[in-house]
């Protein structure tokens, strides 16, 4: 099992460019999520999904788009990148999303994104 | 929203020392997570606990639900334990609130 796979590992964009961060898991997890990690702050939830065709907003969704067409994949799209989106992005999954009660989260290795 | 506070923010220890990292939260929860992040690396779940104590190798996690407090202990610390340790608690289902992390450096 590869677990949670994120690509790319590093990316540099110019302001206004668009890109997609890829996330795939092979554990048959229903729940997938995207976080951003900024210096001096805890991880913040961007968007999450509890199954194919179902997505919802997290704490900081503005400027990001997601879709979930398959159980395995949960891409994060930046439609028009801004310097404020410079951050490290993590994808994470769990069996059904009950992370507040009884499920561990499995994280990808992260994507370091710089927007100039 | 739950407020999660970790202390200390930074911790430097000598190899072999006993280490304690603390996590306090403001609203009652069902479970608390401890995570480990090595420099430039991904994030790994160490523990999830809802009561009492859990042990894995040299790591021990405890939680006091009434006092809204958890501790992560590392016995006989080693330089490979150097990492950021993150505490997270559940809010509504599907969502966690994360602490800012504790940067641990263990010198040989």
């Amino acid at each position: 099992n590869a677990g949670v796979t994120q690509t790319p590992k590093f990316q540099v964009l110019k302001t206004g460019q668009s890109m997609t961060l890829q996330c795939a898991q092979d554990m048959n997890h229903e729940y997938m999520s995207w976080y951003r990690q900024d210096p001096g702050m805890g991880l913040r939830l961007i968007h999450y999904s509890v199954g194919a065709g179902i997505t919802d907003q997290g704490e900081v969704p503005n400027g990001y788009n997601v879709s979930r067409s398959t159980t395995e994949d949960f891409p994060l799209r930046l439609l028009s990148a801004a310097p404020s989106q410079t951050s490290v992005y993590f994808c994470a999954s769990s069996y059904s999303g009950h992370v507040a009660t009884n499920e561990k989260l499995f994280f990808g290795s992260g994507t370091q994104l710089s927007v100039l | 929203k739950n407020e999660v506070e970790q202390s200390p923010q930074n911790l430097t220890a000598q190899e072999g020392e006993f280490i304690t990292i603390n996590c306090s939260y403001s609203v009652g929860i069902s479970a608390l997570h401890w995570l480990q992040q090595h420099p430039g690396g991904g994030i790994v779940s160490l523990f999830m606990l809802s009561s009492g104590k859990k042990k894995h190798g040299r790591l021990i996690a405890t939680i006091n639900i009434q006092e809204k407090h958890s501790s992560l202990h590392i016995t006989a610390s080693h330089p490979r334990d150097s990492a950021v340790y993150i505490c997270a608690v559940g809010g509504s289902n599907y969502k966690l609130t994360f602490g800012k992390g504790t940067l641990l450096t263990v010198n040989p």
Side-chain angles (χ1 to χ4, degrees), chain A residues 19-21 34 46-47 55-57 60-68 74-80 85:
Chain A
M19 79 156 297
T20 300
L21 278 65
W34 278 102
I46 304 171
H47 285 285
T55 64
D56 205 348
Q57 295 182 352
V60 288
N62 292 341
Y64 307 96
N65 220 342
V66 293
S67 60
R68 184 97 178 267
F74 190 46
L76 179 72
R77 297 183 188 85
L78 282 71
L79 301 176
S80 178
Q85 294 178 303

mmCIF file with all atom_site columns, all heavy atoms in Angstrom, chain A residues 19-21 34 46-47 55-57 60-68 74-80 85:
data_model
loop_
_atom_site.group_PDB
_atom_site.id
_atom_site.type_symbol
_atom_site.label_atom_id
_atom_site.label_alt_id
_atom_site.label_comp_id
_atom_site.label_asym_id
_atom_site.label_entity_id
_atom_site.label_seq_id
_atom_site.pdbx_PDB_ins_code
_atom_site.Cartn_x
_atom_site.Cartn_y
_atom_site.Cartn_z
_atom_site.occupancy
_atom_site.B_iso_or_equiv
_atom_site.pdbx_formal_charge
_atom_site.auth_seq_id
_atom_site.auth_comp_id
_atom_site.auth_asym_id
_atom_site.auth_atom_id
_atom_site.pdbx_PDB_model_num
ATOM 1   N N   . MET A 1 19 ? -3.269  25.966 -11.046 1.00 0.00 ? 19 MET A N   1
ATOM 2   C CA  . MET A 1 19 ? -2.642  24.657 -10.963 1.00 0.00 ? 19 MET A CA  1
ATOM 3   C C   . MET A 1 19 ? -3.512  23.723 -10.132 1.00 0.00 ? 19 MET A C   1
ATOM 4   O O   . MET A 1 19 ? -4.422  24.171 -9.419  1.00 0.00 ? 19 MET A O   1
ATOM 5   C CB  . MET A 1 19 ? -1.243  24.725 -10.372 1.00 0.00 ? 19 MET A CB  1
ATOM 6   C CG  . MET A 1 19 ? -1.194  24.840 -8.873  1.00 0.00 ? 19 MET A CG  1
ATOM 7   S SD  . MET A 1 19 ? 0.369   24.250 -8.172  1.00 0.00 ? 19 MET A SD  1
ATOM 8   C CE  . MET A 1 19 ? 0.373   22.523 -8.624  1.00 0.00 ? 19 MET A CE  1
ATOM 9   N N   . THR A 1 20 ? -3.219  22.444 -10.239 1.00 0.00 ? 20 THR A N   1
ATOM 10  C CA  . THR A 1 20 ? -3.922  21.426 -9.467  1.00 0.00 ? 20 THR A CA  1
ATOM 11  C C   . THR A 1 20 ? -2.925  20.615 -8.670  1.00 0.00 ? 20 THR A C   1
ATOM 12  O O   . THR A 1 20 ? -1.944  20.120 -9.210  1.00 0.00 ? 20 THR A O   1
ATOM 13  C CB  . THR A 1 20 ? -4.711  20.487 -10.402 1.00 0.00 ? 20 THR A CB  1
ATOM 14  O OG1 . THR A 1 20 ? -5.679  21.251 -11.141 1.00 0.00 ? 20 THR A OG1 1
ATOM 15  C CG2 . THR A 1 20 ? -5.431  19.420 -9.594  1.00 0.00 ? 20 THR A CG2 1
ATOM 16  N N   . LEU A 1 21 ? -3.191  20.510 -7.367  1.00 0.00 ? 21 LEU A N   1
ATOM 17  C CA  . LEU A 1 21 ? -2.424  19.623 -6.497  1.00 0.00 ? 21 LEU A CA  1
ATOM 18  C C   . LEU A 1 21 ? -3.169  18.291 -6.474  1.00 0.00 ? 21 LEU A C   1
ATOM 19  O O   . LEU A 1 21 ? -4.372  18.236 -6.215  1.00 0.00 ? 21 LEU A O   1
ATOM 20  C CB  . LEU A 1 21 ? -2.335  20.187 -5.078  1.00 0.00 ? 21 LEU A CB  1
ATOM 21  C CG  . LEU A 1 21 ? -1.279  21.245 -4.799  1.00 0.00 ? 21 LEU A CG  1
ATOM 22  C CD1 . LEU A 1 21 ? -1.552  22.505 -5.586  1.00 0.00 ? 21 LEU A CD1 1
ATOM 23  C CD2 . LEU A 1 21 ? -1.223  21.564 -3.312  1.00 0.00 ? 21 LEU A CD2 1
ATOM 24  N N   . TRP A 1 34 ? -8.034  18.441 2.630   1.00 0.00 ? 34 TRP A N   1
ATOM 25  C CA  . TRP A 1 34 ? -6.872  19.263 2.326   1.00 0.00 ? 34 TRP A CA  1
ATOM 26  C C   . TRP A 1 34 ? -6.671  20.268 3.446   1.00 0.00 ? 34 TRP A C   1
ATOM 27  O O   . TRP A 1 34 ? -7.623  20.919 3.897   1.00 0.00 ? 34 TRP A O   1
ATOM 28  C CB  . TRP A 1 34 ? -7.063  20.021 1.012   1.00 0.00 ? 34 TRP A CB  1
ATOM 29  C CG  . TRP A 1 34 ? -6.755  19.200 -0.198  1.00 0.00 ? 34 TRP A CG  1
ATOM 30  C CD1 . TRP A 1 34 ? -7.652  18.596 -1.038  1.00 0.00 ? 34 TRP A CD1 1
ATOM 31  C CD2 . TRP A 1 34 ? -5.459  18.908 -0.728  1.00 0.00 ? 34 TRP A CD2 1
ATOM 32  N NE1 . TRP A 1 34 ? -6.987  17.933 -2.052  1.00 0.00 ? 34 TRP A NE1 1
ATOM 33  C CE2 . TRP A 1 34 ? -5.643  18.113 -1.882  1.00 0.00 ? 34 TRP A CE2 1
ATOM 34  C CE3 . TRP A 1 34 ? -4.169  19.242 -0.342  1.00 0.00 ? 34 TRP A CE3 1
ATOM 35  C CZ2 . TRP A 1 34 ? -4.583  17.657 -2.651  1.00 0.00 ? 34 TRP A CZ2 1
ATOM 36  C CZ3 . TRP A 1 34 ? -3.108  18.774 -1.109  1.00 0.00 ? 34 TRP A CZ3 1
ATOM 37  C CH2 . TRP A 1 34 ? -3.322  17.989 -2.256  1.00 0.00 ? 34 TRP A CH2 1
ATOM 38  N N   . ILE A 1 46 ? -9.008  23.185 4.506   1.00 0.00 ? 46 ILE A N   1
ATOM 39  C CA  . ILE A 1 46 ? -9.443  23.952 3.339   1.00 0.00 ? 46 ILE A CA  1
ATOM 40  C C   . ILE A 1 46 ? -10.783 23.401 2.825   1.00 0.00 ? 46 ILE A C   1
ATOM 41  O O   . ILE A 1 46 ? -11.781 24.115 2.751   1.00 0.00 ? 46 ILE A O   1
ATOM 42  C CB  . ILE A 1 46 ? -8.391  23.897 2.214   1.00 0.00 ? 46 ILE A CB  1
ATOM 43  C CG1 . ILE A 1 46 ? -7.034  24.394 2.714   1.00 0.00 ? 46 ILE A CG1 1
ATOM 44  C CG2 . ILE A 1 46 ? -8.846  24.739 1.020   1.00 0.00 ? 46 ILE A CG2 1
ATOM 45  C CD1 . ILE A 1 46 ? -5.899  24.175 1.727   1.00 0.00 ? 46 ILE A CD1 1
ATOM 46  N N   . HIS A 1 47 ? -10.778 22.156 2.419   1.00 0.00 ? 47 HIS A N   1
ATOM 47  C CA  . HIS A 1 47 ? -11.981 21.460 1.950   1.00 0.00 ? 47 HIS A CA  1
ATOM 48  C C   . HIS A 1 47 ? -11.878 20.005 2.380   1.00 0.00 ? 47 HIS A C   1
ATOM 49  O O   . HIS A 1 47 ? -10.790 19.489 2.614   1.00 0.00 ? 47 HIS A O   1
ATOM 50  C CB  . HIS A 1 47 ? -12.082 21.496 0.419   1.00 0.00 ? 47 HIS A CB  1
ATOM 51  C CG  . HIS A 1 47 ? -12.502 22.793 -0.168  1.00 0.00 ? 47 HIS A CG  1
ATOM 52  N ND1 . HIS A 1 47 ? -13.802 23.265 -0.128  1.00 0.00 ? 47 HIS A ND1 1
ATOM 53  C CD2 . HIS A 1 47 ? -11.781 23.734 -0.841  1.00 0.00 ? 47 HIS A CD2 1
ATOM 54  C CE1 . HIS A 1 47 ? -13.866 24.426 -0.748  1.00 0.00 ? 47 HIS A CE1 1
ATOM 55  N NE2 . HIS A 1 47 ? -12.658 24.748 -1.189  1.00 0.00 ? 47 HIS A NE2 1
ATOM 56  N N   . THR A 1 55 ? -18.523 17.030 -1.373  1.00 0.00 ? 55 THR A N   1
ATOM 57  C CA  . THR A 1 55 ? -17.461 17.869 -0.835  1.00 0.00 ? 55 THR A CA  1
ATOM 58  C C   . THR A 1 55 ? -18.069 18.956 0.034   1.00 0.00 ? 55 THR A C   1
ATOM 59  O O   . THR A 1 55 ? -19.254 19.284 -0.095  1.00 0.00 ? 55 THR A O   1
ATOM 60  C CB  . THR A 1 55 ? -16.618 18.521 -1.947  1.00 0.00 ? 55 THR A CB  1
ATOM 61  O OG1 . THR A 1 55 ? -17.445 19.413 -2.706  1.00 0.00 ? 55 THR A OG1 1
ATOM 62  C CG2 . THR A 1 55 ? -16.002 17.481 -2.869  1.00 0.00 ? 55 THR A CG2 1
ATOM 63  N N   . ASP A 1 56 ? -17.245 19.510 0.910   1.00 0.00 ? 56 ASP A N   1
ATOM 64  C CA  . ASP A 1 56 ? -17.722 20.593 1.764   1.00 0.00 ? 56 ASP A CA  1
ATOM 65  C C   . ASP A 1 56 ? -16.546 21.496 2.127   1.00 0.00 ? 56 ASP A C   1
ATOM 66  O O   . ASP A 1 56 ? -15.377 21.089 2.010   1.00 0.00 ? 56 ASP A O   1
ATOM 67  C CB  . ASP A 1 56 ? -18.373 20.061 3.039   1.00 0.00 ? 56 ASP A CB  1
ATOM 68  C CG  . ASP A 1 56 ? -19.378 21.033 3.626   1.00 0.00 ? 56 ASP A CG  1
ATOM 69  O OD1 . ASP A 1 56 ? -19.415 22.211 3.189   1.00 0.00 ? 56 ASP A OD1 1
ATOM 70  O OD2 . ASP A 1 56 ? -20.137 20.627 4.526   1.00 0.00 ? 56 ASP A OD2 1
ATOM 71  N N   . GLN A 1 57 ? -16.889 22.710 2.545   1.00 0.00 ? 57 GLN A N   1
ATOM 72  C CA  . GLN A 1 57 ? -15.852 23.684 2.868   1.00 0.00 ? 57 GLN A CA  1
ATOM 73  C C   . GLN A 1 57 ? -15.336 23.489 4.280   1.00 0.00 ? 57 GLN A C   1
ATOM 74  O O   . GLN A 1 57 ? -16.074 23.090 5.185   1.00 0.00 ? 57 GLN A O   1
ATOM 75  C CB  . GLN A 1 57 ? -16.426 25.098 2.734   1.00 0.00 ? 57 GLN A CB  1
ATOM 76  C CG  . GLN A 1 57 ? -16.808 25.452 1.313   1.00 0.00 ? 57 GLN A CG  1
ATOM 77  C CD  . GLN A 1 57 ? -17.338 26.865 1.201   1.00 0.00 ? 57 GLN A CD  1
ATOM 78  O OE1 . GLN A 1 57 ? -17.556 27.541 2.211   1.00 0.00 ? 57 GLN A OE1 1
ATOM 79  N NE2 . GLN A 1 57 ? -17.542 27.341 -0.004  1.00 0.00 ? 57 GLN A NE2 1
ATOM 80  N N   . VAL A 1 60 ? -10.807 27.544 5.664   1.00 0.00 ? 60 VAL A N   1
ATOM 81  C CA  . VAL A 1 60 ? -10.217 28.543 4.760   1.00 0.00 ? 60 VAL A CA  1
ATOM 82  C C   . VAL A 1 60 ? -10.409 28.141 3.300   1.00 0.00 ? 60 VAL A C   1
ATOM 83  O O   . VAL A 1 60 ? -9.438  27.880 2.584   1.00 0.00 ? 60 VAL A O   1
ATOM 84  C CB  . VAL A 1 60 ? -8.717  28.771 5.079   1.00 0.00 ? 60 VAL A CB  1
ATOM 85  C CG1 . VAL A 1 60 ? -8.558  29.532 6.383   1.00 0.00 ? 60 VAL A CG1 1
ATOM 86  C CG2 . VAL A 1 60 ? -7.961  27.438 5.150   1.00 0.00 ? 60 VAL A CG2 1
ATOM 87  N N   . PRO A 1 61 ? -11.634 28.119 2.773   1.00 0.00 ? 61 PRO A N   1
ATOM 88  C CA  . PRO A 1 61 ? -11.878 27.587 1.430   1.00 0.00 ? 61 PRO A CA  1
ATOM 89  C C   . PRO A 1 61 ? -11.670 28.570 0.270   1.00 0.00 ? 61 PRO A C   1
ATOM 90  O O   . PRO A 1 61 ? -11.564 28.146 -0.886  1.00 0.00 ? 61 PRO A O   1
ATOM 91  C CB  . PRO A 1 61 ? -13.360 27.191 1.498   1.00 0.00 ? 61 PRO A CB  1
ATOM 92  C CG  . PRO A 1 61 ? -13.941 28.186 2.464   1.00 0.00 ? 61 PRO A CG  1
ATOM 93  C CD  . PRO A 1 61 ? -12.859 28.450 3.487   1.00 0.00 ? 61 PRO A CD  1
ATOM 94  N N   . ASN A 1 62 ? -11.607 29.862 0.577   1.00 0.00 ? 62 ASN A N   1
ATOM 95  C CA  . ASN A 1 62 ? -11.595 30.851 -0.496  1.00 0.00 ? 62 ASN A CA  1
ATOM 96  C C   . ASN A 1 62 ? -10.344 30.734 -1.363  1.00 0.00 ? 62 ASN A C   1
ATOM 97  O O   . ASN A 1 62 ? -9.228  30.665 -0.867  1.00 0.00 ? 62 ASN A O   1
ATOM 98  C CB  . ASN A 1 62 ? -11.693 32.266 0.083   1.00 0.00 ? 62 ASN A CB  1
ATOM 99  C CG  . ASN A 1 62 ? -13.054 32.517 0.714   1.00 0.00 ? 62 ASN A CG  1
ATOM 100 O OD1 . ASN A 1 62 ? -14.017 31.801 0.422   1.00 0.00 ? 62 ASN A OD1 1
ATOM 101 N ND2 . ASN A 1 62 ? -13.125 33.504 1.578   1.00 0.00 ? 62 ASN A ND2 1
ATOM 102 N N   . GLY A 1 63 ? -10.564 30.721 -2.685  1.00 0.00 ? 63 GLY A N   1
ATOM 103 C CA  . GLY A 1 63 ? -9.459  30.631 -3.636  1.00 0.00 ? 63 GLY A CA  1
ATOM 104 C C   . GLY A 1 63 ? -9.110  29.219 -4.039  1.00 0.00 ? 63 GLY A C   1
ATOM 105 O O   . GLY A 1 63 ? -8.220  29.011 -4.861  1.00 0.00 ? 63 GLY A O   1
ATOM 106 N N   . TYR A 1 64 ? -9.840  28.239 -3.473  1.00 0.00 ? 64 TYR A N   1
ATOM 107 C CA  . TYR A 1 64 ? -9.579  26.832 -3.752  1.00 0.00 ? 64 TYR A CA  1
ATOM 108 C C   . TYR A 1 64 ? -10.858 26.138 -4.204  1.00 0.00 ? 64 TYR A C   1
ATOM 109 O O   . TYR A 1 64 ? -11.944 26.442 -3.746  1.00 0.00 ? 64 TYR A O   1
ATOM 110 C CB  . TYR A 1 64 ? -9.052  26.118 -2.506  1.00 0.00 ? 64 TYR A CB  1
ATOM 111 C CG  . TYR A 1 64 ? -7.871  26.748 -1.853  1.00 0.00 ? 64 TYR A CG  1
ATOM 112 C CD1 . TYR A 1 64 ? -8.032  27.615 -0.775  1.00 0.00 ? 64 TYR A CD1 1
ATOM 113 C CD2 . TYR A 1 64 ? -6.575  26.479 -2.294  1.00 0.00 ? 64 TYR A CD2 1
ATOM 114 C CE1 . TYR A 1 64 ? -6.943  28.211 -0.164  1.00 0.00 ? 64 TYR A CE1 1
ATOM 115 C CE2 . TYR A 1 64 ? -5.478  27.063 -1.676  1.00 0.00 ? 64 TYR A CE2 1
ATOM 116 C CZ  . TYR A 1 64 ? -5.672  27.922 -0.621  1.00 0.00 ? 64 TYR A CZ  1
ATOM 117 O OH  . TYR A 1 64 ? -4.581  28.501 -0.017  1.00 0.00 ? 64 TYR A OH  1
ATOM 118 N N   . ASN A 1 65 ? -10.648 25.157 -5.105  1.00 0.00 ? 65 ASN A N   1
ATOM 119 C CA  . ASN A 1 65 ? -11.764 24.378 -5.616  1.00 0.00 ? 65 ASN A CA  1
ATOM 120 C C   . ASN A 1 65 ? -11.437 22.897 -5.503  1.00 0.00 ? 65 ASN A C   1
ATOM 121 O O   . ASN A 1 65 ? -10.271 22.512 -5.681  1.00 0.00 ? 65 ASN A O   1
ATOM 122 C CB  . ASN A 1 65 ? -11.967 24.725 -7.096  1.00 0.00 ? 65 ASN A CB  1
ATOM 123 C CG  . ASN A 1 65 ? -13.419 24.829 -7.445  1.00 0.00 ? 65 ASN A CG  1
ATOM 124 O OD1 . ASN A 1 65 ? -14.271 24.349 -6.717  1.00 0.00 ? 65 ASN A OD1 1
ATOM 125 N ND2 . ASN A 1 65 ? -13.711 25.445 -8.578  1.00 0.00 ? 65 ASN A ND2 1
ATOM 126 N N   . VAL A 1 66 ? -12.421 22.070 -5.206  1.00 0.00 ? 66 VAL A N   1
ATOM 127 C CA  . VAL A 1 66 ? -12.197 20.633 -5.135  1.00 0.00 ? 66 VAL A CA  1
ATOM 128 C C   . VAL A 1 66 ? -13.340 19.909 -5.821  1.00 0.00 ? 66 VAL A C   1
ATOM 129 O O   . VAL A 1 66 ? -14.422 20.453 -6.006  1.00 0.00 ? 66 VAL A O   1
ATOM 130 C CB  . VAL A 1 66 ? -12.080 20.110 -3.692  1.00 0.00 ? 66 VAL A CB  1
ATOM 131 C CG1 . VAL A 1 66 ? -10.824 20.628 -2.999  1.00 0.00 ? 66 VAL A CG1 1
ATOM 132 C CG2 . VAL A 1 66 ? -13.324 20.490 -2.889  1.00 0.00 ? 66 VAL A CG2 1
ATOM 133 N N   . SER A 1 67 ? -13.066 18.656 -6.164  1.00 0.00 ? 67 SER A N   1
ATOM 134 C CA  . SER A 1 67 ? -14.095 17.747 -6.651  1.00 0.00 ? 67 SER A CA  1
ATOM 135 C C   . SER A 1 67 ? -13.676 16.347 -6.246  1.00 0.00 ? 67 SER A C   1
ATOM 136 O O   . SER A 1 67 ? -12.503 16.079 -5.969  1.00 0.00 ? 67 SER A O   1
ATOM 137 C CB  . SER A 1 67 ? -14.250 17.856 -8.164  1.00 0.00 ? 67 SER A CB  1
ATOM 138 O OG  . SER A 1 67 ? -13.034 17.537 -8.810  1.00 0.00 ? 67 SER A OG  1
ATOM 139 N N   . ARG A 1 68 ? -14.638 15.434 -6.186  1.00 0.00 ? 68 ARG A N   1
ATOM 140 C CA  . ARG A 1 68 ? -14.325 14.046 -5.812  1.00 0.00 ? 68 ARG A CA  1
ATOM 141 C C   . ARG A 1 68 ? -15.131 13.125 -6.741  1.00 0.00 ? 68 ARG A C   1
ATOM 142 O O   . ARG A 1 68 ? -16.266 12.782 -6.472  1.00 0.00 ? 68 ARG A O   1
ATOM 143 C CB  . ARG A 1 68 ? -14.727 13.802 -4.353  1.00 0.00 ? 68 ARG A CB  1
ATOM 144 C CG  . ARG A 1 68 ? -14.347 12.429 -3.844  1.00 0.00 ? 68 ARG A CG  1
ATOM 145 C CD  . ARG A 1 68 ? -13.074 12.441 -3.083  1.00 0.00 ? 68 ARG A CD  1
ATOM 146 N NE  . ARG A 1 68 ? -12.735 11.116 -2.558  1.00 0.00 ? 68 ARG A NE  1
ATOM 147 C CZ  . ARG A 1 68 ? -13.074 10.684 -1.342  1.00 0.00 ? 68 ARG A CZ  1
ATOM 148 N NH1 . ARG A 1 68 ? -13.792 11.433 -0.548  1.00 0.00 ? 68 ARG A NH1 1
ATOM 149 N NH2 . ARG A 1 68 ? -12.683 9.494  -0.942  1.00 0.00 ? 68 ARG A NH2 1
ATOM 150 N N   . PHE A 1 74 ? -8.608  13.102 -4.869  1.00 0.00 ? 74 PHE A N   1
ATOM 151 C CA  . PHE A 1 74 ? -9.214  14.337 -4.343  1.00 0.00 ? 74 PHE A CA  1
ATOM 152 C C   . PHE A 1 74 ? -8.293  15.504 -4.694  1.00 0.00 ? 74 PHE A C   1
ATOM 153 O O   . PHE A 1 74 ? -7.493  15.971 -3.884  1.00 0.00 ? 74 PHE A O   1
ATOM 154 C CB  . PHE A 1 74 ? -9.393  14.209 -2.824  1.00 0.00 ? 74 PHE A CB  1
ATOM 155 C CG  . PHE A 1 74 ? -10.214 15.304 -2.199  1.00 0.00 ? 74 PHE A CG  1
ATOM 156 C CD1 . PHE A 1 74 ? -11.420 15.711 -2.762  1.00 0.00 ? 74 PHE A CD1 1
ATOM 157 C CD2 . PHE A 1 74 ? -9.802  15.906 -1.008  1.00 0.00 ? 74 PHE A CD2 1
ATOM 158 C CE1 . PHE A 1 74 ? -12.182 16.708 -2.174  1.00 0.00 ? 74 PHE A CE1 1
ATOM 159 C CE2 . PHE A 1 74 ? -10.569 16.904 -0.411  1.00 0.00 ? 74 PHE A CE2 1
ATOM 160 C CZ  . PHE A 1 74 ? -11.754 17.301 -0.994  1.00 0.00 ? 74 PHE A CZ  1
ATOM 161 N N   . PRO A 1 75 ? -8.368  16.010 -5.913  1.00 0.00 ? 75 PRO A N   1
ATOM 162 C CA  . PRO A 1 75 ? -7.481  17.103 -6.330  1.00 0.00 ? 75 PRO A CA  1
ATOM 163 C C   . PRO A 1 75 ? -7.916  18.459 -5.770  1.00 0.00 ? 75 PRO A C   1
ATOM 164 O O   . PRO A 1 75 ? -9.112  18.712 -5.579  1.00 0.00 ? 75 PRO A O   1
ATOM 165 C CB  . PRO A 1 75 ? -7.608  17.078 -7.853  1.00 0.00 ? 75 PRO A CB  1
ATOM 166 C CG  . PRO A 1 75 ? -8.959  16.471 -8.109  1.00 0.00 ? 75 PRO A CG  1
ATOM 167 C CD  . PRO A 1 75 ? -9.209  15.499 -6.997  1.00 0.00 ? 75 PRO A CD  1
ATOM 168 N N   . LEU A 1 76 ? -6.928  19.310 -5.534  1.00 0.00 ? 76 LEU A N   1
ATOM 169 C CA  . LEU A 1 76 ? -7.169  20.672 -5.056  1.00 0.00 ? 76 LEU A CA  1
ATOM 170 C C   . LEU A 1 76 ? -6.736  21.639 -6.154  1.00 0.00 ? 76 LEU A C   1
ATOM 171 O O   . LEU A 1 76 ? -5.594  21.602 -6.603  1.00 0.00 ? 76 LEU A O   1
ATOM 172 C CB  . LEU A 1 76 ? -6.355  20.947 -3.782  1.00 0.00 ? 76 LEU A CB  1
ATOM 173 C CG  . LEU A 1 76 ? -6.483  22.342 -3.176  1.00 0.00 ? 76 LEU A CG  1
ATOM 174 C CD1 . LEU A 1 76 ? -7.858  22.522 -2.528  1.00 0.00 ? 76 LEU A CD1 1
ATOM 175 C CD2 . LEU A 1 76 ? -5.379  22.591 -2.145  1.00 0.00 ? 76 LEU A CD2 1
ATOM 176 N N   . ARG A 1 77 ? -7.649  22.499 -6.557  1.00 0.00 ? 77 ARG A N   1
ATOM 177 C CA  . ARG A 1 77 ? -7.365  23.429 -7.649  1.00 0.00 ? 77 ARG A CA  1
ATOM 178 C C   . ARG A 1 77 ? -7.236  24.850 -7.134  1.00 0.00 ? 77 ARG A C   1
ATOM 179 O O   . ARG A 1 77 ? -8.082  25.312 -6.364  1.00 0.00 ? 77 ARG A O   1
ATOM 180 C CB  . ARG A 1 77 ? -8.473  23.378 -8.700  1.00 0.00 ? 77 ARG A CB  1
ATOM 181 C CG  . ARG A 1 77 ? -8.596  22.034 -9.384  1.00 0.00 ? 77 ARG A CG  1
ATOM 182 C CD  . ARG A 1 77 ? -9.669  22.037 -10.473 1.00 0.00 ? 77 ARG A CD  1
ATOM 183 N NE  . ARG A 1 77 ? -9.894  20.693 -10.979 1.00 0.00 ? 77 ARG A NE  1
ATOM 184 C CZ  . ARG A 1 77 ? -10.711 19.818 -10.410 1.00 0.00 ? 77 ARG A CZ  1
ATOM 185 N NH1 . ARG A 1 77 ? -11.394 20.158 -9.333  1.00 0.00 ? 77 ARG A NH1 1
ATOM 186 N NH2 . ARG A 1 77 ? -10.848 18.604 -10.914 1.00 0.00 ? 77 ARG A NH2 1
ATOM 187 N N   . LEU A 1 78 ? -6.171  25.517 -7.596  1.00 0.00 ? 78 LEU A N   1
ATOM 188 C CA  . LEU A 1 78 ? -6.016  26.945 -7.376  1.00 0.00 ? 78 LEU A CA  1
ATOM 189 C C   . LEU A 1 78 ? -6.333  27.598 -8.713  1.00 0.00 ? 78 LEU A C   1
ATOM 190 O O   . LEU A 1 78 ? -5.617  27.388 -9.701  1.00 0.00 ? 78 LEU A O   1
ATOM 191 C CB  . LEU A 1 78 ? -4.594  27.301 -6.950  1.00 0.00 ? 78 LEU A CB  1
ATOM 192 C CG  . LEU A 1 78 ? -4.204  27.030 -5.499  1.00 0.00 ? 78 LEU A CG  1
ATOM 193 C CD1 . LEU A 1 78 ? -4.089  25.536 -5.230  1.00 0.00 ? 78 LEU A CD1 1
ATOM 194 C CD2 . LEU A 1 78 ? -2.899  27.740 -5.164  1.00 0.00 ? 78 LEU A CD2 1
ATOM 195 N N   . LEU A 1 79 ? -7.397  28.369 -8.778  1.00 0.00 ? 79 LEU A N   1
ATOM 196 C CA  . LEU A 1 79 ? -7.860  28.902 -10.052 1.00 0.00 ? 79 LEU A CA  1
ATOM 197 C C   . LEU A 1 79 ? -7.058  30.116 -10.500 1.00 0.00 ? 79 LEU A C   1
ATOM 198 O O   . LEU A 1 79 ? -6.779  30.297 -11.677 1.00 0.00 ? 79 LEU A O   1
ATOM 199 C CB  . LEU A 1 79 ? -9.346  29.260 -9.946  1.00 0.00 ? 79 LEU A CB  1
ATOM 200 C CG  . LEU A 1 79 ? -10.258 28.085 -9.587  1.00 0.00 ? 79 LEU A CG  1
ATOM 201 C CD1 . LEU A 1 79 ? -11.694 28.541 -9.409  1.00 0.00 ? 79 LEU A CD1 1
ATOM 202 C CD2 . LEU A 1 79 ? -10.162 26.988 -10.643 1.00 0.00 ? 79 LEU A CD2 1
ATOM 203 N N   . SER A 1 80 ? -6.668  30.957 -9.551  1.00 0.00 ? 80 SER A N   1
ATOM 204 C CA  . SER A 1 80 ? -5.878  32.152 -9.849  1.00 0.00 ? 80 SER A CA  1
ATOM 205 C C   . SER A 1 80 ? -4.997  32.404 -8.637  1.00 0.00 ? 80 SER A C   1
ATOM 206 O O   . SER A 1 80 ? -5.424  33.060 -7.685  1.00 0.00 ? 80 SER A O   1
ATOM 207 C CB  . SER A 1 80 ? -6.790  33.345 -10.133 1.00 0.00 ? 80 SER A CB  1
ATOM 208 O OG  . SER A 1 80 ? -6.024  34.510 -10.383 1.00 0.00 ? 80 SER A OG  1
ATOM 209 N N   . GLN A 1 85 ? -1.448  32.485 -0.948  1.00 0.00 ? 85 GLN A N   1
ATOM 210 C CA  . GLN A 1 85 ? -1.601  31.039 -0.996  1.00 0.00 ? 85 GLN A CA  1
ATOM 211 C C   . GLN A 1 85 ? -0.258  30.307 -0.923  1.00 0.00 ? 85 GLN A C   1
ATOM 212 O O   . GLN A 1 85 ? -0.233  29.078 -0.986  1.00 0.00 ? 85 GLN A O   1
ATOM 213 C CB  . GLN A 1 85 ? -2.364  30.626 -2.262  1.00 0.00 ? 85 GLN A CB  1
ATOM 214 C CG  . GLN A 1 85 ? -3.799  31.112 -2.248  1.00 0.00 ? 85 GLN A CG  1
ATOM 215 C CD  . GLN A 1 85 ? -4.562  30.762 -3.498  1.00 0.00 ? 85 GLN A CD  1
ATOM 216 O OE1 . GLN A 1 85 ? -4.144  31.120 -4.621  1.00 0.00 ? 85 GLN A OE1 1
ATOM 217 N NE2 . GLN A 1 85 ? -5.670  30.073 -3.354  1.00 0.00 ? 85 GLN A NE2 1
#
